[in-house]
Amino acid sequence: MLSAVKRQVRFLILLLLSTLLLLSSNIAAASASPQLAEISANRLVFASSEYLPHYGTDLPKQGAVVEIVRRAFALRQLQIEVAFMPFARALYDTQQGQFAGIIAIWHTEERAENFLYSDPIYANQMVLFKRAGEFQYFNNLDALLNSEGTLGLVTGYAQNALLANSRFNKVSVATDEQIFSMLALRRVDLVPADLQNGLYLISKLPATQRKVQLDWITPASGA
């Protein structure tokens, strides 16, 4: 069984429109939305959150993941544009048909009832970020889940069931940037996040918050 916290989680791009037949049915409803109103036979608008350094508004070409997606669609002579927004809104608006799809979200059974997924793009490593000197002895997931503290989450993200059902208090915010700031400010104690995403966001914290040393743990699963 894969570890509940340390595992290789594949990035997935959710595609609602993978054929021109599906595209044509979406164009018919385009007038209901400002975003979809501009969709043409060879241009699609996708929703996405910022997930730095993997993808984001200000990254070169909006990040590696977006560029991979863009080139994949170009093989079918389709152009894509990406509208960036908080994750919960991106997911909801896509479910409501406001966008052609949403880029790079985790696969869950619940989501698969409504959306079509492409093949995985690449893998990422999930860890638990914390303040240095805290939780350093919790190298076992069972022991960690029986400890006390506050878990910082991003609204709308799919969460590991063991963490979601743990005894930790839970606090949710709109963006990854906000939750890492709260970790540095001691308002939350643990943040589950992609390793590269967390390291990037820590490097971008204000100077006063960077004085608080943050690190991470990857506790092994219990029996």
Side-chain angles (χ1 to χ4, degrees), residues 11 14 25 52 65 71 89 97 102 115 121 187 209 214:
F11 272 119
L14 174 65
S25 67
L52 306 165
V65 172
R71 292 191 182 194
R89 178 187 164 193
I102 182 170
F115 303 123
I121 297 177
R187 295 176 184 171
Q209 295 181 20
L214 303 179

Side-chain angles (χ1 to χ4, degrees), residues 39-154:
I39 288 181
S40 65
N42 64 346
R43 191 174 71 87
L44 302 173
V45 181
F46 282 76
S48 179
S49 62
E50 302 262 351
Y51 206 64
L52 306 165
H54 301 289
Y55 46 94
T57 307
D58 297 326
L59 293 174
K61 299 184 178 180
Q62 299 179 317
V65 172
V66 171
E67 181 63 9
I68 290 171
V69 175
R70 184 175 287 116
R71 292 191 182 194
F73 275 86
L75 295 175
R76 292 294 188 95
Q77 290 74 53
L78 293 170
Q79 299 177 0
I80 70 164
E81 294 184 8
V82 182
F84 288 95
M85 63 196 71
F87 179 80
R89 178 187 164 193
L91 181 62
Y92 178 81
D93 283 357
T94 304
Q95 289 174 326
Q96 298 301 307
Q98 299 297 305
F99 295 97
I102 182 170
I103 289 178
I105 68 170
W106 283 13
H107 180 278
T108 68
E109 292 183 2
E110 181 180 2
R111 291 172 180 171
E113 291 178 358
N114 299 301
F115 303 123
L116 301 175
Y117 281 83
S118 75
D119 291 336
I121 297 177
Y122 62 76
N124 66 325
Q125 182 182 9
M126 299 301 294
V127 301
L128 281 169
F129 282 91
K130 63 181 184 63
R131 289 178 293 276
E134 301 180 11
F135 297 99
Q136 68 264 42
Y137 301 113
F138 290 95
N139 57 3
N140 180 276
L141 182 60
D142 292 334
L144 178 65
L145 293 176
N146 286 321
S147 63
E148 296 183 353
T150 300
L151 191 66
L153 306 171
V154 176

